[in-house]
Amino acid sequence: MALTPTPTRNDRTKTDYTRRMRSMLARCRREMNIAPYEALDHRHFVGWLVSKKPTWSRSAWRQHKAAAIYSLEQEAMKSSVAQEALEALRPIDVEGCVRKTTKTSARKLKRFPTKDYRALDRWLTDHKGRWNEDLKRWLAAGLLTGLRPAEWAGARMIEFKGEPALLLKNAKATNQRAHGPTRTVLLGGLDENERQLIAEHVERSVEWAMADKFPSFYHGCAAVLSRACQQMWPKRDQYPTLYSTRHQFSANAKASGLLPEEIAALMGHAVDTTATKHYGRKAAGVEMMRVRPDPAEVAKVRQAFNLKHVSPKPLPKLQPNEKS
């Protein structure tokens, strides 16, 4: 019996995996000189995939591997060769991947310094553009609340026990990486202007989502941010992205003295180690945290952490006449 259940995949994840696998297969065929009409042995594909690992970062390898596993699982139901390839791929970890690359993902800054944010805000104010005002709100709201960019599409402003709050659908809930399907960010510590800014960004995000065009909204703002950063800091190796606001939020929460389980509840993590290991460092933060988690969700994180790290019970001591 498996120690942990197999993570579920939502429709969007399946679509992304299928698209990524299609791209990998096409590249594999080109590099191995296999014509489109020729059959591609799944075992040869896995061998090719592993050979590319030294050129990828650890996160890139995990994404490619996950897409390959998903596709091979479908093929394995009707092909023993695919099953063999799947079994060969599963145990291969990130060993051998490059720790830092010059590719796009390596150029994303995992913090958002205050001076950079203020400079960007001035740049967006001084320059005209379709997405500039939306991007200004997005950056400010992201730093205040720590949402994943995709989570804004399903956000709602609510009143929670007499206090203004933000109700969110946890983006990683289907993969059992969140403490529940939703989370609540309490906004009572913010001033009225800040709450109004968040409410306006929620309204814009939901408007685009209702029109089934949220990706256009996201990519439009992200493109302006990328272009602005390159114009302002042409000699830099790394630039802030929309996701950088989440990293900075985590750093600010740590610098403000929040407990690990409180940070996990605010960020939608299942246990309190994720933010500690993978998100913004305390040294990069400032003491400005004025939003709070729902205490009931903090309790869920504590419970999940205790269950995950519970020590196994010792085996009973055998009596002299008993056999093991």
Side-chain angles (χ1 to χ4, degrees):
M1 181 177 178
L3 293 177
T4 56
T6 302
T8 57
R9 307 178 179 104
N10 59 33
D11 290 340
R12 181 175 179 179
T13 300
K14 292 177 182 178
T15 300
D16 289 343
Y17 282 169
T18 301
R19 186 183 300 113
R20 185 183 293 269
M21 184 64 170
R22 191 182 304 122
S23 176
M24 289 192 295
L25 287 172
R27 182 179 174 185
C28 176
R29 285 180 176 278
R30 287 196 307 271
E31 295 185 5
M32 295 182 69
N33 294 317
I34 300 174
Y37 55 83
E38 293 182 83
L40 173 59
D41 190 308
H42 298 295
R43 295 165 297 188
H44 293 169
F45 166 74
V46 169
W48 170 85
L49 189 66
V50 174
S51 75
K52 309 305 294 184
K53 191 167 64 161
T55 68
W56 290 327
S57 67
R58 295 183 174 199
S59 60
W61 166 253
R62 291 189 187 98
Q63 293 169 12
H64 292 314
K65 178 182 174 181
I69 285 177
Y70 170 69
S71 297
L72 287 172
E73 284 175 345
Q74 316 308 308
E75 294 295 325
M77 292 186 285
K78 54 186 178 182
S79 167
S80 59
V81 172
Q83 180 63 40
E84 185 179 341
L86 180 62
E87 292 173 357
L89 178 60
R90 283 191 188 279
I92 299 176
D93 59 17
V94 298
E95 187 68 30
C97 291
V98 291
R99 290 185 174 272
K100 185 176 181 180
T101 73
T102 57
K103 295 183 180 180
T104 304
S105 59
R107 301 188 69 183
K108 296 177 180 178
L109 201 61
K110 290 190 175 182
R111 62 185 186 279
F112 208 139
T114 301
K115 63 177 182 178
D116 285 0
Y117 166 69
R118 289 174 177 168
L120 269 167
D121 190 70
R122 289 194 298 270
W123 190 96
L124 293 168
T125 300
D126 295 339
H127 293 75
K128 293 182 178 180
R130 176 185 178 186
W131 303 105
N132 288 27
E133 289 302 315
D134 284 314
L135 177 56
K136 286 177 62 176
R137 282 191 294 267
W138 199 321
L139 295 177
L143 288 169
L144 288 169
T145 61
L147 270 66
R148 300 176 179 91
E151 290 177 332
W152 287 108
R156 281 200 298 131
M157 295 292 293
I158 64 168
E159 186 172 293
F160 182 84
K161 298 180 180 179
E163 180 177 350
L166 198 55
L167 180 63
L168 312 163
K169 296 179 181 178
N170 282 325
K172 302 294 184 179
T174 56
N175 288 336
Q176 299 177 3
R177 289 163 58 184
H179 57 64
T182 64
R183 72 181 185 276
T184 304
V185 178
L186 306 180
L187 308 178
L190 303 179
D191 63 40
E192 186 59 36
N193 290 333
E194 290 168 328
R195 290 195 294 268
Q196 181 60 34
L197 180 147
I198 292 171
E200 289 174 1
H201 184 55
V202 168
E203 183 178 357
R204 286 286 286 164
S205 299
V206 173
E207 179 183 356
W208 282 91
M210 293 292 289
D212 202 24
K213 293 183 178 180
F214 185 81
S216 298
F217 181 50
Y218 168 80
H219 290 300
C221 290
V224 172
L225 177 56
S226 176
R227 186 163 58 250
C229 289
Q230 291 178 41
Q231 289 184 22
M232 295 173 65
W233 305 296
K235 295 184 179 180
R236 286 191 181 181
D237 293 328
Q238 293 183 314
Y239 299 116
T241 66
L242 292 176
Y243 211 97
S244 299
T245 61
R246 182 167 167 84
H247 285 283
Q248 188 62 47
F249 176 87
S250 176
N252 293 345
K254 294 171 186 176
S256 299
L258 268 67
L259 297 173
E261 57 265 38
E262 292 175 322
I263 300 173
L266 279 172
M267 299 185 71
H269 294 149
V271 294
D272 60 8
T273 55
T274 307
T276 302
K277 291 182 178 180
H278 303 295
Y279 284 84
R281 297 179 179 178
K282 180 179 179 179
V286 293
E287 296 181 23
M288 59 166 286
M289 189 57 47
R290 288 174 289 121
V291 299
R292 308 184 334 276
D294 175 3
E297 293 173 9
V298 176
K300 284 184 181 179
V301 174
R302 289 195 185 109
Q303 182 181 24
F305 181 82
N306 291 335
L307 288 173
K308 186 173 183 179
H309 293 82
V310 64
S311 300
K313 293 181 179 179
L315 293 173
K317 187 176 181 180
L318 296 177
Q319 298 299 320
N321 296 328
E322 291 181 325
K323 295 182 180 181
S324 58

